[in-house]
Amino acid sequence: MDFAKLKRMLYYWIHQIVNILLRLTWHLLHVTIHLFYFAINIANALESHLISKGLLRRYKSLHISKLQYLAIVIESEDCRTSNVIELLQWLADLGVKHVCLYDKEGILKKSKDFILEKFDGATLFQENDVLLDPPLMTLEFASFSDGKEAVAKAANVLFMKYLKSGSTSSYQGEQIFTESQMGEALKTVGGNGPEPDLLLVYGPARCHLGFPAWRIRYTEIQHMGPLKSMKYGSLIKAIYKFTMVQQNYVKEERQGKAMEWGRKVVDIAKSTTAPLLACFAPRFGK
């Protein structure tokens, strides 16, 4: 009886010691990770400060001509117009000529008149504008609804095209939409804007927040952190990294990537028009 009790006590204390060791290991790992990221943030802040002061020679010469079109994606909750205007002023000083401002909820789009009024060094981008070297910066304002609306309109264009041609009789089991057709439809409805060379994401999420996928097939994407914590040096560093990257895509790889994005858009179009085609198909004879 005493031996069984001693055995239970031994197991109990071993269990307690193991739990303590595991807790200590977890807390030590947690502290180590925090210290690691704290050191990285300090190093990045110091580097950003040195870049903004012009003390790092390699960041002084930017091949800004490689950056034909820049997209800025901002978390809607962080869309402060004062910060946006300051960011645009930095870009203008660097020589960036074409910028797309995007947020999912369309807050920037609603404030475009105010932004254009306060930032007098810019004009509104038009769909038929050519990406040349204008005297003033051109601004495009976009939101998630623009991409959704563009896909819906493009799907409707394709639907009407096949409805008029009487091709709904061959709808069953056939792929009637191709990437090139969807691209032409998006161009027709004005939803196929310029593809940005570089996309900078300001916000906690490391994603493009719903920016139209068919416009970023070859786009370089960089996460910049919250807009309220933006730094001039970090902006220069991001643009510098882009200008130094060599695009080593071979033809087949570029085509494969384009087809992958195209298939996603086509799937959306099919899901939009499938009920309509199924409804009208019985009215046409084979």
Side-chain angles (χ1 to χ4, degrees), residues 16-130:
Q16 293 297 321
I17 292 172
V18 170
N19 281 341
I20 292 174
L21 290 176
L22 288 176
R23 287 176 179 270
L24 287 176
T25 303
W26 167 252
H27 286 297
L28 181 61
L29 181 62
H30 195 66
V31 171
T32 302
I33 293 175
H34 271 279
L35 290 176
F36 175 74
Y37 280 103
F38 178 76
I40 289 179
N41 290 333
I42 292 296
N44 289 335
L46 179 60
E47 183 184 29
S48 177
H49 179 72
L50 294 176
I51 293 174
S52 61
K53 295 297 182 180
L55 299 178
L56 297 182
R57 184 176 300 177
R58 63 176 178 172
Y59 293 105
K60 288 185 177 181
S61 57
L62 291 177
H63 301 286
I64 204 67
S65 59
K66 293 184 178 180
L67 186 58
Q68 294 293 319
Y69 202 80
L70 173 67
I72 305 292
V73 173
I74 303 175
E75 178 69 37
S76 297
E77 297 179 358
D78 294 340
C79 287
R80 299 179 181 179
T81 53
S82 57
N83 291 339
V84 173
I85 293 173
E86 184 179 7
L87 179 60
L88 290 175
Q89 187 60 59
W90 290 349
L91 293 172
D93 294 339
L94 293 174
V96 179
K97 294 298 185 180
H98 303 282
V99 178
C100 175
L101 293 175
Y102 171 92
D103 74 285
K104 190 172 184 179
E105 302 298 330
I107 297 175
L108 293 175
K109 194 173 183 179
K110 296 176 182 177
S111 306
K112 65 180 180 181
D113 293 333
F114 177 79
I115 294 175
L116 290 171
E117 180 182 353
K118 292 297 181 181
F119 183 67
D120 54 1
T123 58
L124 192 61
F125 179 81
Q126 304 296 331
E127 293 181 1
N128 55 353
D129 285 352
V130 181

Side-chain angles (χ1 to χ4, degrees), residues 152-183:
K153 288 182 178 180
N156 186 60
V157 168
L158 293 175
F159 168 72
M160 295 303 298
K161 175 182 177 182
Y162 281 89
L163 187 63
K164 290 180 180 178
S165 64
S167 298
T168 51
S169 58
S170 60
Y171 167 71
Q172 299 293 336
E174 293 186 7
Q175 181 178 355
I176 61 174
F177 297 147
T178 63
E179 289 85 355
S180 59
Q181 289 173 328
M182 194 64 194

Side-chain angles (χ1 to χ4, degrees), residues 197-209:
D197 303 298
L198 175 63
L199 187 144
L200 302 179
V201 180
Y202 285 92
R206 293 179 176 269
C207 65
H208 56 76
L209 298 175

